[in-house]
Amino acid sequence: MRRRLGLEPNPFNNAGLILSNLRDFEDVGYLANLFEADLAQDATSSPLAQPPDWPELDLTRVRVGPGNSLPGFVNRVTPPPIRLVTFHDVFFAHRGDRFCIFKEGCVDVRATALPSRSFLDDVGRNTAQAVPRLIYCGNQHSPDNPAHFLADHLSTAIVLLNAGFAASEIFLPSTRAPVNKTLQTAINSDLRIVSNDRLYHARELCLPMSMISQTFLHHPFHAADPLVLSTFSKACVTAAQGAVGLGPWIYLARRKAQRRRLENEIDLIERLEARGFAVIDMEDLTGPEQLAAIIAADVVVAPHGGALANLVAARKGTSVIELFHPNKGTLAFAVIAARLELCYTSIVGQAGEEDRWRIDIEEVIRVAESTCKNTRSG
C-alpha cells in the first residue's frame, strides 16, 4: 500500500500516513472512515527483563562496513527493556511480519498493517475468535527467518515464561522454518501460534515493547541473556535426540538465498569440500537434523544469515568463521558465540552489484585450515 501511494517504506507503523491518502482509491473505500489513534491503556509497566549486557564481546573481532547499523555495539545504542503495552477489548490480526490492532473505527498508532475488508466484516458478524489475554511476540521481521524467530520472537517468549506468564497466553507468529517449529515445541509445547489471516478479539492484548520500538529496529538481543541461552541449549539437546550429525567440519551454504548472494560461493564450496568440509543446505534438513549438525561440528563456516541461528546448539569451544557482506549484517551471532564461549572469527568480503558480494577464498581457506588443525578432529 505504501508503494502504491508513493510513500517511503519506513516507518512501519503510523497507519494515519496511509489513511489520509486513500481518497482517490475506490477499491479501498472501506477504509475511508478509519482513523489513527493511540488505543493503549498502559504503556508504562515495570520492566519484565532488562537488556542483557555483553562485556565479554570484543568489538575489534568483528569488522563491518560503515553502512551497517549495529545497535548496542558500535553505536552504543542500548536496546530497550521488555515492558508490556496493554490494550483492552481490541481486535488483532497478524500476517507474516505485519500486525493490526483496531477498535470502533480506530487503528492503533503501533499497527504495521490495516484491517482487510473481511476482518471488518468479521467484526460486524461477531465471528472473531475471542481470547482472554493475547501476548504477541512478533515484530517487523519475518518469522520464517530463524535469526529473527529465535533471537527475537522465541527469546521474548522465554523471557515472558520466566516472568511467570502462562504459555497459553503467549502467542508467536506462525512460521514455516523447521528449526523454529522444533525449538518452539521443545521449549514449551503449550505456546500458542497466531494464525495468519484470523481475526482475534482480545479482552486484553499485550505487546512487549522491545518488539515494537521505533528507535531500535534490529534484534532486541534478549537471546544474549544467559538464562535464555541456557534454555535454548537444553532444548536443542532434547530436540536433536535421534538425529545424526554430518561431520566435524561443516559449511552452511547460502546458494539458495535470494538476498545477499555470494557470487563466488560455488568456487568456495569446491575448495572447502576438497579439504573435508561437509556442505549443508539447512533448508533441506528437518529441525532436529539442523541442530544435530551444529552439535556434532567442531568447525562451522558460514555466510552471515539465518542458518547461523542454529549456533544456539553449539558446544563450548566450537569454532565459528562468519563471512560478512561489507555493508550488511549484524553482530547477532557474534553475541551468541561470545556467550557460549565459542571460538569466533569473522572475514569481511567485497561488495558487488546491488546486494551481491564476493569473499576472498584464499583467506577463508587459510583461516579454515588453521582452525581445523586446532580442533579435536584436526
Side-chain angles (χ1 to χ4, degrees):
M1 184 70 77
R2 290 180 185 274
R3 189 181 302 113
R4 184 178 175 185
L5 293 172
L7 300 174
E8 294 294 325
N10 289 318
F12 290 97
N13 56 3
N14 294 130
L17 293 176
I18 295 177
L19 293 172
S20 62
N21 284 279
L22 294 180
R23 299 179 185 86
D24 298 329
F25 296 90
E26 295 181 1
D27 58 321
V28 289
Y30 66 93
L31 297 172
N33 295 323
L34 298 181
F35 59 95
E36 184 183 66
D38 189 342
L39 298 176
Q41 301 297 311
D42 181 10
T44 59
S45 62
S46 299
L48 300 179
Q50 294 292 341
D53 60 356
W54 28 80
E56 64 274 73
L57 182 63
D58 180 1
L59 290 178
T60 64
R61 295 167 62 194
V62 182
R63 307 180 308 280
V64 295
N68 273 316
S69 174
L70 300 172
F73 299 100
V74 175
N75 295 331
R76 293 288 193 264
V77 177
T78 302
I82 292 184
R83 300 176 185 269
L84 292 184
V85 179
T86 304
F87 305 80
H88 296 295
D89 190 28
V90 293
F91 292 95
F92 178 85
H94 143 94
R95 180 192 294 170
D97 56 1
R98 296 289 182 265
F99 66 88
C100 183
I101 304 168
F102 65 99
K103 175 182 180 179
E104 297 175 352
C106 300
V107 178
D108 185 67
V109 294
R110 300 163 189 83
T112 58
L114 295 171
S116 66
R117 185 191 300 271
S118 62
F119 284 156
L120 294 176
D121 291 342
D122 286 342
V123 173
R125 291 192 296 261
N126 196 30
T127 55
Q129 179 176 333
V131 290
R133 173 188 272 175
L134 191 160
I135 309 175
Y136 178 63
C137 294
N139 65 2
Q140 76 277 8
H141 294 300
S142 171
D144 293 328
N145 183 336
H148 294 296
F149 186 86
L150 301 182
D152 301 357
H153 311 156
L154 191 51
S155 292
T156 299
I158 293 172
V159 171
L160 291 166
L161 289 170
N162 292 337
F165 289 92
S168 59
E169 299 175 333
I170 301 171
F171 287 71
L172 289 154
S174 56
T175 176
R176 294 173 294 184
V179 73
N180 294 349
K181 296 178 180 179
T182 296
L183 284 177
Q184 177 180 327
T185 300
I187 286 171
N188 194 311
S189 59
D190 290 330
L191 289 169
R192 304 282 294 277
I193 297 173
V194 178
S195 298
N196 278 324
D197 299 321
R198 174 176 294 176
L199 183 64
Y200 296 84
H201 186 186
R203 187 183 309 160
E204 181 178 79
L205 170 69
C206 299
L207 296 183
M209 195 61 197
S210 65
M211 296 289 95
I212 57 176
S213 170
Q214 292 305 300
T215 59
F216 191 78
L217 294 178
H218 284 59
H219 301 275
F221 284 106
H222 290 288
D225 185 279
L227 182 57
V228 172
L229 272 183
S230 175
T231 301
F232 271 124
S233 296
K234 293 174 183 176
C236 289
V237 171
T238 300
Q241 289 180 355
V244 179
L246 297 175
W249 304 341
I250 62 175
Y251 174 75
L252 308 183
R254 193 173 170 80
R255 54 192 167 188
K256 296 183 180 181
Q258 299 301 311
R259 298 183 301 116
R260 299 197 309 274
R261 299 295 296 271
L262 181 54
E263 292 181 323
N264 57 344
E265 186 174 28
I266 298 302
D267 295 334
L268 174 62
I269 286 174
E270 291 178 356
R271 295 287 298 277
L272 288 172
E273 285 182 322
R275 284 157 176 76
F277 275 78
V279 176
I280 302 173
D281 295 294
M282 284 297 219
E283 54 266 65
D284 294 339
L285 303 183
T286 66
E289 288 171 342
Q290 292 184 37
L291 298 172
I294 298 296
I295 291 172
D298 292 333
V299 179
V300 179
V301 180
H304 177 82
L308 279 171
N310 287 278
L311 286 180
V312 294
R315 292 173 287 112
K316 179 180 176 179
T318 298
S319 294
V320 179
I321 304 171
E322 183 173 9
L323 313 180
F324 276 100
H325 184 292
N327 300 313
K328 297 180 183 293
T330 73
L331 301 188
F333 310 118
V335 174
I336 293 174
R339 283 294 194 203
L340 294 179
E341 297 183 61
L342 310 183
C343 300
Y344 179 88
T345 303
S346 66
I347 300 175
V348 179
Q350 303 85 40
E353 294 183 1
E354 298 178 345
D355 68 345
R356 293 189 289 272
W357 58 296
R358 300 178 66 83
I359 198 73
D360 185 334
I361 293 178
E362 296 304 324
E363 182 180 7
V364 176
I365 296 302
R366 178 181 58 78
V367 174
E369 287 181 338
S370 174
T371 302
C372 291
K373 289 177 182 178
N374 296 321
T375 63
R376 290 177 290 270
S377 50

